[in-house]
C-alpha cells in the first residue's frame, strides 16, 4: 500500500511537472460552477469553491471561478469559454452524447438524486414517463423519461407542494437544505431515493482539455489516497438519509 501511494504521488508530481511546462500553464484557468446551496453559494463560499482553491494551490496557478446557473455553466464548457466545469453526474450506462466535452478520469464524489413528490400523490418511480416531473434543465439528457426542465430548485419544490407538478428530481445535497429551510411552506413534500451517481468534472474536448483532465485527475487521486478529498467534500458525499421518517 505504501509503495502504491509513493508511486501515485510520483505520477501526480510528474503530471504537474509536464503540465507546468506546457503552454496552457501560462494562462489563468477558468472554471464555472453552478450556483447551488452548499456547493457554490458565491465566488467565495461553497464546498466546491474551496475544492477549486485547493486545486489551484496544488497547481500553483490561478483559477478564475465563475458562479452561474447550471445550464449556462455546461454551455460555457461545451463552447470552450471555460477550461472546466464541476460538478456533473456520470450516467451509469454511458449513453449520454458527449462529443463536446470529456469527463474527468477521476470521480470527485458520489451524489444521491432524490425524487421529491407530494405526500398525497403516489408516483411509480419505475414509470416516471407517465408523470409531470421536473429536473434541472442541464440534466434532462440523463433522464429520457423526463421532459420538464427547471433552473430554480425552490421554485420546483413549490410546484410539488401546490400539486402543479407530480415531482422533482435532483441532488439531495443541493435540494434538502432548501427543503429544510422552508419546511413550513413545503410541508407536503416527501422524498425517496431515485439513483446514486458518480460526480465528475468535465472539460472541453480539446487537447488542452485532455491535458488538464490528466493533470487534475492525478491530483484528485492523490487527495483521495491521503484522505484529503473525503475530508474536504464530506458535506456533499454521504449515504442517503431518509430523515423525514
Amino acid at each position: 500500500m505504501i509503495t502504491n501511494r509513493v508511486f501515485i504521488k510520483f505520477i501526480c508530481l510528474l503530471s504537474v511537472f509536464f503540465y507546468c511546462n506546457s503552454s496552457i500553464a501560462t494562462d489563468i484557468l477558468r472554471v464555472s460552477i453552478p450556483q447551488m446551496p452548499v456547493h457554490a453559494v458565491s465566488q467565495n463560499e461553497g464546498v466546491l469553491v474551496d475544492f477549486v482553491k485547493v486545486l489551484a494551490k496544488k497547481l500553483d496557478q490561478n483559477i478564475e471561478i465563475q458562479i452561474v446557473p447550471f445550464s449556462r455553466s455546461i454551455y460555457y464548457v461545451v463552447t470552450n469559454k471555460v477550461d472546466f466545469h464541476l460538478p456533473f453526474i456520470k450516467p451509469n450506462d454511458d449513453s449520454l452524447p458527449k462529443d463536446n466535452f470529456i469527463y474527468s478520469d477521476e470521480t470527485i464524489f458520489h451524489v444521491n438524486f432524490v425524487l421529491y413528490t407530494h405526500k398525497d400523490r403516489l408516483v411509480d418511480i419505475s414509470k416516471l414517463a407517465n408523470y409531470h416531473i421536473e429536473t434541472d434543465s442541464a440534466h434532462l439528457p440523463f433522464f429520457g423519461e423526463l421532459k420538464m426542465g427547471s433552473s430554480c430548485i425552490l421554485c420546483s419544490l413549490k410546484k410539488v407542494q401546490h400539486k402543479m407538478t407530480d415531482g422533482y428530481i435532483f441532488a439531495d445535497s443541493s435540494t434538502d437544505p432548501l427543503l429544510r429551510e422552508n419546511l413550513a411552506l413545503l410541508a407536503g413534500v416527501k422524498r425517496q431515493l431515485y439513483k446514486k451517481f458518480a460526480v465528475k468534472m468535465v472539460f472541453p474536448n480539446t487537447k488542452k482539455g485532455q491535458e488538464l483532465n490528466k493533470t487534475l485527475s492525478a491530483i484528485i487521486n492523490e487527495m483521495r489516497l491521503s484522505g484529503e478529498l473525503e475530508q474536504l467534500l464530506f458535506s456533499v458525499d454521504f449515504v442517503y438519509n431518509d430523515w423525514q421518517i
Side-chain angles (χ1 to χ4, degrees), residues 65-134:
I65 299 174
Q66 300 182 32
I67 307 299
V68 297
F70 214 119
S71 293
R72 189 187 307 171
S73 188
I74 297 300
Y75 170 77
Y76 280 172
V77 78
V78 300
T79 56
N80 205 23
K81 295 183 183 298
V82 296
D83 297 297
F84 64 109
H85 154 97
L86 71 154
F88 209 38
I89 61 174
K90 181 76 162 57
N92 299 326
D93 58 3
D94 202 30
S95 61
L96 183 70
K98 48 184 183 295
D99 293 338
N100 295 323
F101 67 85
I102 55 175
Y103 281 102
S104 59
D105 294 337
E106 285 294 321
T107 295
I108 311 172
F109 59 95
H110 291 82
V111 66
N112 307 306
F113 263 54
V114 169
L115 171 61
Y116 298 85
T117 58
H118 196 280
K119 63 183 181 181
D120 293 338
R121 288 192 174 177
L122 296 177
V123 173
D124 186 343
I125 203 167
S126 66
K127 299 178 180 179
L128 295 181
N130 296 337
Y131 304 94
H132 295 93
I133 295 178
E134 287 187 321

Side-chain angles (χ1 to χ4, degrees), residues 114-125 128 131-133 156-157 159-161 163 165-169 179 186-192 244:
V114 169
L115 171 61
Y116 298 85
T117 58
H118 196 280
K119 63 183 181 181
D120 293 338
R121 288 192 174 177
L122 296 177
V123 173
D124 186 343
I125 203 167
L128 295 181
Y131 304 94
H132 295 93
I133 295 178
S156 291
L157 290 177
K159 290 179 186 178
V160 172
Q161 170 65 29
K163 301 181 181 179
T165 61
D166 296 313
Y168 176 64
I169 292 178
L179 178 58
L186 303 171
V189 177
K190 67 176 182 179
R191 307 156 60 256
Q192 62 177 307
Q244 287 181 311

